[in-house]
Structure formats: structure tokens, C-alpha cells
Amino acid sequence: MNPLSISQLTEQIRLTLESHLQPVYWVIGELADFRQAPQGHVYFELVEKQGNQVLAKIKANLWQFNYRSVAAKFESVTGSTLKNGMKVLAQVAVNYHPVYGLSVNVKDIDPSFSLGERARLRQETIDRLTKEGLIRLNARFSLPPVIQKIAVISSATAAGYGDFVNQLENNPYGYQISHQLFNSLMQGNEAVSSLISAFEQVELQLEKGKFEAVILIRGGGAQLDLDCFDDYRLGAKIANFPIPVFTGIGHERDETVADLVAHSRLKTPTAVAEFLLSGFREFEENLSLILQRLDRTTRSKLKEEEGKIQQLSLRTKSLAGNRLSLENERVKTFAKRTEQAAKNLIRQEWIALESHEKNLKKGIDHFLKLQVDRLNHIETLIHQMDPMLLIKKGYTRTEAKGKPVHLVDLSPGDQLTTYTIDQKISSTITQIEEK
């Protein structure tokens, strides 16, 4: 066995690959780790995935001269630059280098494939949302006559956001709409997670009644830059959101999935602002019409009632003379009956009052007698319990430490004070005998 050097082995690998492989292949893969060197060359990986699992990947190179023409053609067709996460159809030549290993040199990239792949994925997302009943779910909400409190999901640096705020705050009618920005990425691989996080932040404040609608605005961009708005997760979040969601992404040629599931889709951020302000104008106009109708109706009703009053006045005057004498007789008769009834009632009430007064006096006298007897009995008991009566009979009272002796622990040497009827005697304990 003759061993080979590493260079001999790698040379055999290179020759074998060159003899068995075609000059170029068209392959489908996702761009990953995409970076451009200072010399203008581009290095990246072409990756094949199944869900989030990587099935295969290979290093790829796109040399400076080729990159300029490939990138320019791709951007002119798609409106977007080549970047991480894009799925592309690339023409490649397999290359094996004894130091750098296996890689592919990219000769061309078909931009129409990227557009078609995007359309396919978008349609799959729409079909799934439709099957789950989410496409028009957010549209179930009825809008208030005027929307005065909104949450805005956008990028603080986006031109569309600035146009939207300027349109709201500088409207010629002086309408005021409270708005709060929830900042989010609006393109790139992290945009979907950032947008969903912004919606979740809005949702945390809904219990306080802080917002009546959510406005999702961007302000234009390349077609492939809008991929995040075709994501199923974002579409489901918008569809299930508990208040109306408006979109003004700014892409007039095509609707995104976010547009389809939103309550209302408008073309641009300024169009969203104008829609909100138009609600104020329509409400104001309707209110003005109602006031005009109310004024006309009130005036007509007043004239009608005025005519009725005049007719009634004439009829009243003609009847007044006939009825006046009759009513006078009725009043006199009623007055006499009322006077007699009042006298009878007063008499009955007076008799009842005298009877009640007698009964009340008897009750009070009896109660006072019982209380006097009770007080006399208590006074006798208090007098009998007076300790001075016992002392006057010859008994004495002895204390130690200011307390009766039976309440104090005594020992020889303690001082005692004894009280008689007319003396205070001090003594010292010399001996204590227990009974």
C-alpha cells in the first residue's frame, strides 16, 4: 500500500468531482450568513430547511464582478436587495479547493423565482387563515362614530409614521386624536416577532379602556421587504385581536395578508389618518343636520300648538260665562260640607287626645314611683356596706404597702399601718404564723 499525501488526495477529489459533475446546476436554497467583503466579494451559505430544521447547507461565493450584475438585476425585478432569509433559485458551479474545501460559485440568481416563491407561501397562508375562519374575524367589530384613542404600531424612524402623525396633528379642523406609538421593526428576519410583541404590549393596556383601535403603518417599501406582513403568526394575531386593527402599509400594488385580516385596509399611513379624521367630519355634519331638522320640527310644532291654543282660548271664553255661575254654587255647597266635616273631625280628635293624655299621665306616675322605690333600696344597701360602720363598732383596718394585708405577700420586717376610729397605728412584723 502506497500512502497518499493530503494534497494528492485532495487533487484526486477535485479531479473526480470535475469528471463526474456538470459545469453548472440550478439549486434552490435559503440565503444565510450573507456578508460582503471589503473587496466586493460576497460570502454566504445556501441552506435547505424543513421547518426550523436544517437538512443541508453548503458554502457559496459570489465574486465581485458577477455580484454587481446579479444584485442589480435582482433588485430591479423584486425591488429588494439580496439578504438573509430569502429563498432563491441560483445557478452554481461546484468547486473544491484543497485548503478551503467544498463550495459553490454562484453564477446567477433568478429573481422571478423569489417573487413566485413569495406568492406561493402567501397563498398558503391565506388558505390556512381562511380555513380557520380568521380572514374577516377582526371585521366583526362595529366602529364608534369617532375614534379618539389609538395605538400606533410602526417604527419611530419610518417616514410613513411621521406623515401619519403630521396629518393627524395638523388637520385644519382642529380635531384631536390621542395616539401612542409602540415601536417595532418593520422588515427583516426579526420583524414578525417584533410586531407580535408590539401587539401584545397594546393588549396589556386594553383593560384600562386606553385604546379604541390599533393602527399598523409602514409607508411603502420593496415587495420582498413586506414579507413579514404575509406571515401566518402575525395574520392570526391581527385577526384575533380584541379591538379593530387598521393597516396602512403603503404598498398599492398588492395586498398583504395583514391587510386581508385587518378590520380596514387603507393604502398609505396618510390615508389612515384621513379616514380617522373623516369620521369626525361625518359625525359633525350629521350632528349639524340633526340640529337643523330639530329646529325645523320645533318651529312647526310651536306654530301648530299656538293655533290650538288660540282656538281653545275662544272656546273657553264662550263657555266661561255659563259655567262660572254653576261653579260658584258648587263651590259654596262644597265649602259648607267641608266646614261641617272639619268640625266633626276636630271634635273626635280632641276627645281622643284627652283620653290619651289621661292614660299617659297614669303611666308616668307609676313609672316614677317604681324608680323612687328602687333608688331608696339602693341607698340602704350602700349605707349598710360603709366600712366606717364596722370601725365604729371597734373593728380596725390594717394595710401593708398601701393595700389590704390579704392582698400582699408579707414577711417579717414589713411595716403595717392600722386604722381605728380615731387613730393611725404603725407596727413592724416580727413573726408570722400560718393558720
Side-chain angles (χ1 to χ4, degrees), residues 31-70:
L31 301 182
D33 196 20
F34 192 90
R35 63 192 187 281
Q36 185 173 6
Q39 298 85 351
H41 309 309
V42 176
Y43 303 99
F44 54 95
E45 288 182 338
L46 285 171
V47 181
E48 179 183 353
K49 291 182 178 179
Q50 186 174 33
N52 292 324
Q53 182 180 3
V54 176
L55 299 181
K57 63 181 178 180
I58 191 169
K59 291 187 292 184
N61 313 303
L62 185 52
W63 306 124
Q64 177 189 17
F65 178 79
N66 229 13
Y67 175 62
R68 289 180 179 176
S69 60
V70 168

Side-chain angles (χ1 to χ4, degrees), residues 173-386:
Y173 310 99
Y175 301 138
Q176 305 235 342
I177 298 178
S178 169
H179 55 89
Q180 180 178 341
L181 174 66
F182 291 81
N183 199 44
S184 172
L185 297 174
M186 303 304 285
Q187 65 183 57
N189 293 338
E190 303 300 322
V192 173
S193 298
S194 181
L195 286 164
I196 291 175
S197 175
F199 272 102
E200 290 172 347
Q201 292 176 45
V202 175
E203 200 164 4
L204 291 175
Q205 301 190 36
L206 290 185
E207 291 184 0
K208 304 174 184 177
K210 196 168 183 180
F211 305 114
E212 296 169 324
V214 179
I215 313 299
L216 175 60
I217 54 177
R218 184 183 190 277
Q223 196 166 2
L224 292 181
D225 288 340
L226 303 178
D227 281 349
C228 59
F229 298 102
D230 286 333
D231 187 87
Y232 168 79
R233 293 169 296 162
L234 178 61
K237 187 67 178 179
I238 293 173
N240 286 295
F241 209 69
I243 60 175
V245 178
F246 294 80
T247 56
I249 296 172
H251 194 263
E252 300 187 17
R253 291 175 295 172
D254 193 15
E255 281 187 320
T256 66
V257 171
D259 292 322
L260 293 174
V261 297
H263 183 285
S264 300
R265 179 251 182 178
L266 296 110
K267 291 182 178 180
T268 63
T270 52
V272 179
E274 181 57 32
F275 175 80
L276 296 175
L277 295 171
S278 68
F280 282 80
R281 289 200 301 273
E282 183 177 351
F283 180 80
E284 194 171 39
E285 289 170 1
N286 289 339
L287 184 60
S288 178
L289 289 174
I290 291 171
L291 290 174
Q292 290 176 11
R293 290 173 186 169
L294 181 61
D295 182 65
R296 287 197 300 267
T297 303
T298 302
R299 291 177 183 274
S300 175
K301 192 67 176 175
L302 285 173
K303 288 183 179 179
E304 181 183 343
E305 294 300 322
E306 185 178 357
K308 291 180 180 179
I309 290 172
Q310 290 176 353
Q311 293 178 4
L312 184 61
S313 176
L314 294 174
R315 290 177 59 191
T316 302
K317 289 179 180 179
S318 65
L319 295 174
N322 298 330
R323 291 188 176 182
L324 184 59
S325 58
L326 179 61
E327 291 300 321
N328 283 337
E329 292 299 323
R330 288 181 179 178
V331 168
K332 290 178 180 178
T333 302
F334 179 75
K336 290 179 180 178
R337 292 176 181 175
T338 302
E339 183 181 3
Q340 186 59 42
K343 289 179 179 179
N344 293 337
L345 182 61
I346 291 171
R347 187 180 301 108
Q348 292 173 3
E349 291 297 325
W350 181 257
I351 293 171
L353 183 61
E354 287 181 339
S355 175
H356 180 68
E357 183 181 6
K358 290 178 182 178
N359 292 334
L360 183 62
K361 187 174 183 304
K362 287 180 182 180
I364 292 173
D365 291 342
H366 179 68
F367 175 77
L368 290 176
K369 184 177 183 305
L370 290 176
Q371 295 303 315
V372 169
D373 292 343
R374 182 169 174 269
L375 289 173
N376 289 336
H377 178 67
I378 293 172
E379 183 180 7
T380 301
L381 292 176
I382 293 173
H383 180 71
Q384 291 174 354
M385 295 171 65
D386 188 355

